[in-house]
Amino acid sequence: MTVPPPTKRRRGRRIARLILLVILGLLALATVGFLWYAQPVPLLPEATAALTSTEAVDVSVGTDGTILFTPTAAPPTVGLVLYPGGKVPPAAYAPAARAIAEAGYLVAIVDVPFNLAVFDINAASRVIGGHPEIEHWAVGGHSLGGSMAAQFIDGHPGVVDGLVLWASYSAADLSGQGVGVLSSYGTLDRGVPSFTSPENVARLGNRLTFDEIDGGNHEQMGWYTGQPNDPPATISRQAQQDRIVEVTRRFLGELGRHGGG
């Protein structure tokens, strides 16, 4: 066997080190870029204010970061697990969650890595497994969160009875699962073509309720700011939130009466 001269061996090691440094540099740049992209959007004061308990709703935060809203008047039998929108902290949905819980429903907002639900699609399992007293479950969420809730249903057939989409759509075909679906969105949301395309609607099955919020946009589905490329709404955030709460309460009430059938 011929041994390369020392100079060739040194040159080979230098090239290998250079390649390694380039790879490490690219990885570092990718990490910095991702962390910059994943910076959470700012919350509005109403979001954190809704994290306090009231006479009607007990608010608690689990060790995994899940925010739980439990009605106090009577033990709930219907529950909703919400996934946050992309880069949106869970607390942005606390005002709506607390208002829904006031009607007698258990509501949980899950905490996901980097506020991106794609990194913890199965987060609802922890909530559902921890509350065997709940007879009927819905999962859902805003934008990316709603889409990942749909993925959860696709991977866990028969576990939940309903899907709540706030300005969102399903990339998974749920038409054969028989779940009830609520799709609520603002008419000024740039995502409306995706929410209403025949292909995406067909994936939701025949137990589908659409709710168009005239003059609503994407950001006003939560209590945060900084939604890029979002047209300004022509209704107030509170008016849009009131509508979301109303239709979601109604949907959960139907689940409680009819379950998965």
Side-chain angles (χ1 to χ4, degrees):
M1 182 177 67
T2 303
V3 178
T7 54
K8 288 187 176 181
R9 290 200 299 270
R10 286 195 295 270
R11 187 180 303 116
R13 286 196 293 268
R14 283 198 299 270
I15 292 172
R17 283 197 297 269
L18 180 60
I19 292 172
L20 179 60
L21 288 172
V22 169
I23 292 173
L24 291 175
L26 290 174
L27 288 173
L29 285 172
T31 300
V32 170
F34 173 77
L35 292 176
W36 176 84
Y37 164 79
Q39 291 181 87
V41 295
L43 292 174
L44 294 172
E46 291 85 350
T48 51
L51 296 175
T52 58
S53 298
T54 65
E55 289 186 6
V57 178
D58 178 70
V59 183
S60 60
V61 181
T63 56
D64 64 350
T66 296
I67 310 171
L68 193 67
F69 300 81
T70 307
T72 59
T77 60
V78 178
L80 169 64
V81 181
L82 289 173
Y83 288 68
K87 302 197 292 182
V88 183
Y93 308 98
R98 194 170 70 175
I100 293 167
E102 287 172 355
Y105 306 111
L106 181 74
V107 183
I109 312 171
V110 294
D111 186 34
V112 292
F114 304 106
N115 296 305
L116 295 169
V118 68
F119 290 121
D120 195 1
I121 295 173
N122 294 324
S125 293
R126 299 191 296 273
V127 180
I128 294 172
H131 293 276
E133 75 280 7
I134 300 299
E135 299 172 8
H136 302 289
W137 282 103
V139 296
H142 176 213
S143 194
L144 176 65
S147 295
M148 293 305 101
Q151 291 295 131
F152 173 82
I153 293 176
D154 184 52
H156 300 79
V159 172
V160 305
D161 300 312
L163 172 64
V164 174
L165 298 174
W166 292 347
S168 187
Y169 66 94
S170 174
D173 186 357
L174 307 180
S175 59
Q177 295 219 24
V179 296
V181 180
L182 168 65
S183 178
S184 180
Y185 54 88
T187 56
L188 299 180
D189 194 315
R190 290 186 184 274
V192 169
S194 296
F195 311 152
T196 61
S197 75
E199 180 183 6
N200 287 340
V201 170
R203 294 190 181 108
L204 301 177
N206 56 12
R207 295 182 59 206
L208 172 61
T209 300
F210 270 121
D211 181 68
E212 291 185 334
I213 306 173
D214 191 29
N217 64 2
H218 197 81
E219 180 184 282
Q220 290 190 169
M221 301 302 268
W223 291 88
Y224 67 95
T225 62
Q227 183 69 45
N229 305 315
D230 198 27
T234 57
I235 61 173
S236 70
R237 191 183 300 263
Q238 188 60 60
Q240 186 165 341
Q241 287 283 307
D242 289 345
R243 178 68 168 269
I244 297 164
V245 169
E246 176 191 352
V247 297
T248 304
R249 281 176 168 180
R250 190 184 311 145
F251 176 77
L252 295 175
E254 288 296 315
L255 282 189
R257 284 188 288 274
H258 304 294

